[in-house]
């Protein structure tokens, strides 16, 4: 859980999780359709919205996949990301039951 809390101590990572919860509310339709339903949101679309360098955005996304907050799907040359709702629910239960 410590690694999850470390990841959540960064406002950009929290923002990305928020955006990916309801991508249609935060991204342009033409940037995410139709891939969002099957794969998630493309890394380049997330990077454009977050306004950070490609390498920083990639590092944030990779770390969130490593700790289980996100799931990545590779399709051709593009990598897509979506939330791992099971892990987020586990974190919520931990907070509710432990803290």
């Amino acid at each position: 859980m410590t690694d999850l809390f470390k990841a959540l101590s960064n406002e950009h990572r929290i923002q990305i999780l928020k955006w990916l919860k309801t991508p249609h509310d935060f991204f342009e339709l033409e940037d995410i359709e139709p891939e969002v339903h099957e794969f998630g949101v493309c890394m380049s679309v997330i990077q454009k919205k977050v306004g950070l360098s490609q390498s920083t955005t990639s590092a944030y996304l990779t770390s969130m996949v490593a700790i289980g907050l996100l799931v990545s799907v590779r399709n051709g040359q593009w990598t897509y990301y979506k939330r791992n709702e099971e892990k987020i629910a586990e974190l919520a239960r931990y907070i509710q039951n432990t803290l």
Side-chain angles (χ1 to χ4, degrees), residues 16-59:
I16 291 167
L17 283 172
K18 179 181 175 183
W19 296 336
L20 293 178
K21 182 175 183 179
T22 55
H24 287 95
D25 293 342
F26 297 99
F27 297 100
E28 297 295 325
L29 191 60
E30 61 269 9
D31 289 339
I32 61 171
E33 286 291 346
E35 298 89 357
V36 70
H37 301 289
E38 185 174 352
F39 304 120
V41 178
C42 185
M43 186 276 196
S44 63
V45 173
I46 296 169
Q47 187 262 321
K48 180 176 137 185
K49 182 151 183 79
V50 78
L52 299 172
S53 70
Q54 186 275 334
S55 61
T56 300
T57 304
S58 180

Side-chain angles (χ1 to χ4, degrees), residues 34-95:
E35 298 89 357
V36 70
H37 301 289
E38 185 174 352
F39 304 120
V41 178
C42 185
M43 186 276 196
S44 63
V45 173
I46 296 169
Q47 187 262 321
K48 180 176 137 185
K49 182 151 183 79
V50 78
L52 299 172
S53 70
Q54 186 275 334
S55 61
T56 300
T57 304
S58 180
Y60 284 172
L61 294 169
T62 299
S63 69
M64 292 184 353
V65 168
I67 60 173
L69 287 173
L70 297 180
V71 175
S72 66
V73 176
R74 186 100 172 139
N75 184 30
Q77 63 183 355
W78 295 280
T79 304
Y80 297 85
Y81 295 88
K82 57 185 168 181
R83 290 165 41 116
N84 180 348
E85 296 299 340
E86 289 178 24
K87 189 67 166 185
I88 293 169
E90 178 185 326
L91 175 61
R93 283 191 303 273
Y94 177 83
I95 291 170

